[in-house]
Amino acid sequence: MGGWLKINGSAFCAIAASLLFVPGAAQADSLIENVNGMTLDSGGNVIRFTGMIIDDDGKVKQLLNRRDKRPREVDFQFDGKGQTLIPGFFDAHGHVMGMGFNALTLDLSDTGSLEEALAKIARYAAENPSRPWIIGNGWNQEAWGLGRFPTAAELDAIVPDSPVFLSRVDGHAVWVNGAAMKAAGISAATKSPKGGSIERAGGKPSGIFVDAAIDLFSDAIPAPRPVENDIALSKAQEILLANGVTSIADMGTSMQDWQSFRRAGDAGRLKIRIVSYASEIDNMIAIGGPGPSPWLYDDHLRLVGVKLYVDGALGSRGALLKKPYADKPGESGLALLNSAQLKNKMSRAAMDGFQTAVHAIGDKANDEILSAIEELQFTYKGDRRWRVEHAQIVDPADLNRFVTSGSIASMQPVHQTSDRLMAEARLGADRLQGAYAWRSILESGARLAFGTDVPVESSNPFPGLSAAMTREDAAGQPFGGWMPAERLDRIQAWQAYTNGSAYAAFAEDRLGSLEPGKRADFLIIDQDILLATPAQIRNLQVNETWIAGKPAFVRKR
């Protein structure tokens, strides 16, 4: 295939699969030319370039400025036509299989009221009469302005016979009907399990099950078949690539999930890069055995650690607080692990070199995980990169403990705009000083890693970048930003979503930026990310996504 082939962007993408990247064909360097290229180095400095040479392993070989001499002979040249080229995004916290299944089942995230949700459920049930269970997700009583949880009775009125199982938007509560409770053997005598709660009305289950209580349905709901898992993974990859996400930390990988990832890798269908954090210790041991896995499939898959939970979520009042909820004074949240259990699990992981990523939303939960890290760091020395996932509500007195304990704050900017009003209601104005405190954590010297928590939020990273810069929602509210002192500048936000996420996953040596020796995972976008306004960034579009120097997604025009 030697020689020098010069083609424009659209022609290249059209024939890439059939001509340019024939399996087994001998390849030399490729040249990406005529681009407005930009990336960040580990220090947050902007590196600009107009061309990039990619070696035949799919790694960046050299970045070129306008005056740099181009190689005389390359196998392939792509003309970017002056478009902006940036590194692919690394989502620091997502749920890959959950995202895929959510996209394939009943989605209630676009409903604005209980009545609208019930109408959508009724239509879905009528259109899918053969489904043994109606499975869905995305409901949010706060977005509905309901002022309470929905009930089983409301579901029974529209779907009386088929079991209905609907996950709340944050995944920390489910809404079910009477048929679902009957199938799971749940009655008025069923007690709330440790780390969970069964909401009740008149002494009977109301239809809402929170955190550990969700597991009461595990045996009743038919498990997805391997082929269904593979379809969900394919759908998730499709969405991620369209949104410009080339790498993701999968938080809570089960053995079934891992097997689906491996099947895709074996068949050459694993396009995105997945850094897995096993769901609990049992899955960690089953998948990793004596320690973290090596990188597999040319840096497309690795198990690096374990995901643990200290508490639940704010929306279901499962987040563990130091003081009772302002809107429900008798409750302070759910402790899913006590201090001893947390340290025991973290020790079990750390002794074999697994990284720990611990979900902590409430201020008491963050205190618990930081205290555990402060104690364990003297036993388990070295580069541990302890991760605190979400770190949403932190006592201001505890903010500096992230840097002193060597902890990474893995946060999701879009949660701030989605949860703002709920957080005010749950906590009251006087307890919000450490809420979504990105700048305070960063200025303390601690590291930030940004993600979306997909499917809780969209995997699209650009609204998150905009929110991090403004602390305003899509409607520009509140004007000037909510607690604006915690805003980040665009470089800080972009760094947290690329190099910061890669560092948090022990992947900074190969992912997160476009520098020589790293994987050539990049995006071609429709605006200059360094010149666009925050509003423009929120609506920025990915035209193409490339993995290892090959096009993986091209938007139809």
Side-chain angles (χ1 to χ4, degrees):
M1 286 176 61
W4 190 68
L5 180 63
K6 184 175 182 180
I7 49 182
N8 65 28
S10 59
F12 178 90
C13 295
I15 67 173
S18 61
L19 176 61
L20 299 187
F21 303 113
V22 177
Q27 295 184 30
D29 295 341
S30 300
L31 176 63
I32 307 299
E33 180 64 300
N34 188 21
V35 293
N36 176 32
M38 56 194 73
T39 187
L40 299 175
D41 65 17
S42 60
N45 302 300
V46 178
I47 302 172
R48 292 184 175 273
F49 54 93
T50 59
M52 177 169 53
I53 301 174
I54 301 170
D55 67 21
D56 58 7
D57 288 327
K59 296 178 181 178
V60 177
K61 187 173 183 179
Q62 185 180 355
L63 298 178
L64 303 170
N65 293 317
R66 195 171 301 280
R67 296 181 180 179
D68 289 336
K69 187 177 181 180
R70 268 49 180 171
R72 294 183 62 182
E73 291 190 4
V74 293
D75 271 356
F76 317 109
Q77 178 173 337
F78 171 76
D79 181 0
K81 297 184 176 181
Q83 297 176 94
T84 296
L85 185 154
I86 63 172
F89 286 92
F90 193 140
D91 192 316
H93 184 118
H95 307 278
V96 175
M97 299 303 292
M99 173 189 185
F101 277 113
N102 279 13
L104 297 171
T105 55
L106 174 60
D107 180 10
L108 298 174
S109 62
D110 60 350
T111 57
S113 67
L114 173 62
E115 291 72 24
E116 188 178 343
L118 291 171
K120 190 169 187 179
I121 296 164
R123 285 196 305 271
Y124 186 88
E127 293 167 359
N128 297 275
S130 63
R131 295 276 173 100
W133 281 64
I134 294 173
I135 306 293
N137 63 86
W139 62 271
N140 185 351
Q141 82 282 6
E142 298 294 331
W144 295 342
L146 193 60
R148 60 172 176 83
F149 281 125
T151 67
E154 287 159 332
L155 283 177
D156 291 338
I158 57 169
V159 187
D161 301 319
S162 298
V164 180
F165 181 91
L166 306 170
S167 297
R168 193 181 183 278
V169 64
D170 55 19
H172 286 269
V174 295
W175 172 27
V176 303
N177 67 348
M181 288 188 278
K182 182 179 180 180
I186 294 169
S187 67
T190 304
K191 296 182 179 179
S192 295
K194 186 175 182 180
S197 68
I198 301 173
E199 296 290 310
R200 297 180 185 272
K204 298 180 180 180
S206 70
I208 297 295
F209 295 75
V210 179
D211 287 317
I214 298 171
D215 295 338
L216 295 172
F217 295 89
S218 297
D219 293 337
I221 299 175
R225 295 173 297 157
V227 66
E228 293 168 334
N229 281 323
D230 294 350
I231 292 170
L233 174 58
S234 178
K235 184 64 176 179
Q237 291 194 93
E238 176 187 315
I239 297 169
L240 289 168
L241 291 170
N243 283 333
V245 178
T246 55
S247 301
I248 187 168
D250 185 55
M251 287 292 164
T253 306
S254 69
M255 174 54 79
Q256 291 72 29
D257 298 340
W258 181 260
Q259 290 172 333
S260 190
F261 299 160
R262 291 298 303 264
R263 285 194 296 272
D266 290 343
R269 298 193 305 267
L270 189 58
K271 299 176 182 179
I272 59 171
R273 304 188 191 276
I274 302 175
V275 180
S276 284
Y277 291 79
S279 176
E280 276 292 344
I281 300 297
D282 55 347
N283 282 300
M284 179 194 82
I285 296 171
I287 297 169
S293 79
W295 283 98
L296 304 169
Y297 312 114
D298 294 327
D299 297 340
H300 277 80
L301 180 64
R302 186 190 183 204
L303 175 80
V304 70
V306 64
K307 168 73 179 302
L308 303 172
Y309 287 84
V310 176
D311 67 345
L314 273 179
S316 53
R317 296 190 186 86
L320 190 61
L321 303 180
K322 292 184 175 182
K323 298 178 182 179
Y325 281 89
D327 58 355
K328 202 161 188 180
E331 296 186 8
S332 299
L334 296 170
L336 304 186
L337 295 172
N338 62 36
S339 296
Q341 291 170 329
L342 174 62
K343 286 182 283 189
N344 284 341
K345 287 176 179 284
M346 293 178 68
S347 293
R348 176 63 186 86
M351 66 187 293
D352 283 338
F354 291 99
Q355 186 186 17
T356 58
V358 183
H359 168 115
I361 289 184
D363 53 8
K364 178 62 175 174
N366 279 278
D367 180 20
E368 288 283 351
I369 179 57
L370 291 170
S371 295
I373 294 169
E374 287 164 348
E375 181 175 334
L376 295 176
Q377 66 179 329
F378 296 106
T379 301
Y380 303 102
K381 300 182 183 298
D383 189 7
R384 295 289 172 169
R385 304 191 192 181
W386 312 96
R387 294 181 58 140
V388 180
E389 302 302 315
H390 306 305
Q392 284 183 212
I393 310 298
V394 182
D395 187 325
D398 293 334
L399 287 170
N400 197 54
R401 296 170 68 192
F402 283 88
V403 65
T404 58
S405 64
S407 303
I408 296 168
S410 172
M411 306 178 75
Q412 301 76 40
V414 283
H415 282 341
Q416 181 267 304
T417 52
S418 297
D419 295 355
R420 172 177 61 89
L421 296 177
M422 178 184 65
E424 291 175 349
R426 295 286 188 269
L427 299 172
D430 60 336
R431 295 165 61 188
L432 293 172
Q433 291 306 306
Y436 315 89
W438 313 317
R439 179 173 284 276
S440 292
I441 291 174
L442 190 63
E443 288 186 343
S444 74
R447 291 182 180 265
L448 280 180
F450 277 170
T452 60
D453 201 10
V454 62
V456 175
E457 305 277 1
S458 165
S459 62
N460 186 346
F462 295 107
L465 282 177
S466 178
M469 294 164 61
T470 64
R471 295 176 76 90
E472 296 176 350
D473 63 19
Q477 297 298 318
F479 179 76
W482 186 72
M483 298 174 61
E486 294 295 344
R487 292 178 300 194
L488 300 178
D489 64 39
R490 77 179 62 214
I491 298 299
Q492 292 169 329
W494 190 20
Q495 182 80 330
Y497 230 131
T498 49
N499 282 318
S501 298
Y503 178 87
F506 285 94
E508 77 278 9
D509 61 332
R510 63 199 69 202
L511 304 174
S513 64
L514 295 171
E515 298 177 87
K518 295 189 178 184
R519 291 292 179 180
D521 299 347
F522 59 87
L523 315 176
I524 294 174
I525 55 179
D526 67 347
Q527 296 188 63
D528 187 322
I529 197 170
L530 294 180
L531 297 179
T533 65
Q536 290 172 330
I537 288 175
R538 177 178 288 277
N539 297 308
L540 196 148
Q541 181 172 276
V542 175
N543 290 332
E544 301 183 23
T545 301
W546 292 51
I547 304 287
K550 301 178 183 180
F553 164 80
V554 179
R555 189 172 300 281
K556 294 180 181 179
R557 304 180 189 179

